[in-house]
Amino acid sequence: MICCKECIDLLYDYIEGSLDQNTSKSLEEHFEECPPCIAFLNTYKSTTTLCRDTLNQIEIPDEVRRTLQSFLKEHKEENK
Amino acid sequence: MSFTQQKEDKEIEEALVKDFQAGNLEAYDKIAELYQQKIYALSFNLMRNQMDAQDVTQEVLLTLFRKIHTFQGKSAFSSWVYRITLNASYMKLRSKKKEPNISIDELLPSFNSAGFQQEKIQDWSENTESLLFTNETREVINKAVGLLPEKEKVVFLLRDVEGLSTEKVSEVLDLTIPAVKSRLHRARLFLRKKLSSYFEEYNSQKGET
């Protein structure tokens, strides 16, 4: 029988789908009996999604884009 | 993105790199165009400052221009670009005053002697929708990521935010696969804990009103 500690150690591989069948099955048995670990699993997954959706919205601001363009142009001319 | 699409992109990129190594400046423009967004986003997420991210992006684009002849194709071109970006960002960070790192271990889950979780775990995963794109939530997430120790932060940004594969992250950072996994897991646990405090507080306030 898997305990909560083992369960949380296995979460990463469980989500990746890289656990062997037996381990995966014992983990799911643990989930059935342990609501806190289900809550942990759900919030662990949500954390990744929330952080990704927030942080991958970074776009280059227009003024930075313009600065970069003129910077590159200057440098290429120097190197011609 | 489909596998064929990825393969085509890779071939286009390799051709561009070869052309540029042969002195074709148009190829360089295309490489710069392809990569500046990635360079900027990664350096911005590491430093949280527009001016610094701009400086680093300039520096990296310049390094690509000057050092392209040293790129030998032993690793993927993108891994090389990511490495240069990380080095430039770290140099920049080092020159600034550092905020004290907090210990990640204090925020990892704790267990009793029988291996049960010691704290009460709330499931807030269903209740994030209304909060998702508020400035406050964004601020909480940015702050939490900012508090991650560098080792964990960089793995988290490359793998979970930029979406690189575990193998690719291990190539960029020259880490073993188990080391990448372990750092990423610790980063996620840390962030989960930080976000939990926020969402649990929000939920309990909502319950009161």
Side-chain angles (χ1 to χ4, degrees), chain A residues 51-67:
Chain A
C51 291
R52 187 187 51 228
D53 292 349
T54 304
L55 294 176
N56 70 9
Q57 286 175 14
I58 308 292
E59 294 281 341
I60 305 185
D62 286 342
E63 74 251 37
V64 175
R65 195 175 279 277
R66 279 193 293 274
T67 315

Side-chain angles (χ1 to χ4, degrees), chain B residues 142-177:
Chain B
N142 284 331
K143 221 176 142 192
V145 173
L147 285 170
L148 275 172
E150 291 306 329
K151 277 169 143 185
E152 278 82 12
K153 192 195 290 180
V154 64
V155 174
F156 170 77
L157 289 177
L158 289 173
R159 177 76 173 82
D160 279 351
V161 178
E162 296 300 316
L164 270 57
S165 67
T166 309
E167 289 71 22
K168 185 98 185 212
V169 177
S170 98
E171 179 177 280
V172 172
L173 298 175
D174 197 18
L175 285 172
T176 63
I177 303 254

Side-chain angles (χ1 to χ4, degrees), chain B residues 187-201:
Chain B
R188 288 172 176 175
L189 291 176
F190 175 92
L191 295 170
R192 196 206 72 88
K193 178 78 180 166
K194 285 280 173 194
L195 296 194
S196 291
S197 320
Y198 171 65
F199 285 116
E200 282 169 15
E201 192 184 330

